[in-house]
């Protein structure tokens, strides 16, 4: 739950994103998260960016999924 594999745009492969990590701020296996965002989060500091593009993409997919489920429930009942 809350985990997505997101394709890299610049190279072959995918990154694992955990949207529930760090109190909902997310965690990613990409270099930007590993070297910039993650170390700041570990220290309790504000990272240079809110999240990497892979977390942003996973959040968008999750939101689309949630909205579709809400619409389906509204139609049913």
């Amino acid at each position: 739950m809350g985990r997505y594999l997101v394709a890299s745009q610049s190279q072959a492969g995918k990154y694992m994103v955990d949207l529930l990590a760090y109190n909902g701020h997310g965690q990613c296996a990409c270099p930007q998260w590993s070297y910039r965002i993650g170390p700041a989060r570990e220290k309790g500091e504000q990272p240079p960016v809110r999240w990497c593009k892979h977390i942003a993409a996973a959040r968008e997919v999750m939101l689309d999924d949630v909205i579709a489920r809400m619409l389906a429930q509204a139609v049913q009942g």
Side-chain angles (χ1 to χ4, degrees):
M1 184 170 144
R3 290 187 177 186
Y4 295 85
L5 275 176
V6 179
S8 172
Q9 293 177 343
S10 59
Q11 58 188 357
K14 297 179 181 184
Y15 296 113
M16 176 59 71
V17 171
D18 182 352
L19 293 177
L20 302 180
Y22 291 90
N23 294 319
H25 292 287
Q27 180 177 4
C28 183
C30 75
Q32 182 181 18
W33 199 94
S34 297
Y35 297 114
R36 294 183 183 149
I37 301 169
R41 293 254 185 251
E42 286 290 325
K43 294 176 188 174
E45 299 173 352
Q46 182 68 27
V49 293
R50 189 170 181 188
W51 48 59
C52 66
K53 61 186 172 186
H54 310 102
I55 291 175
R59 290 174 66 91
E60 186 174 331
V61 168
M62 183 208 62
L63 181 58
D64 288 347
D65 200 28
V66 168
I67 290 171
R69 289 179 191 183
M70 291 171 69
L71 287 170
Q73 285 181 347
V75 170
Q76 291 176 358

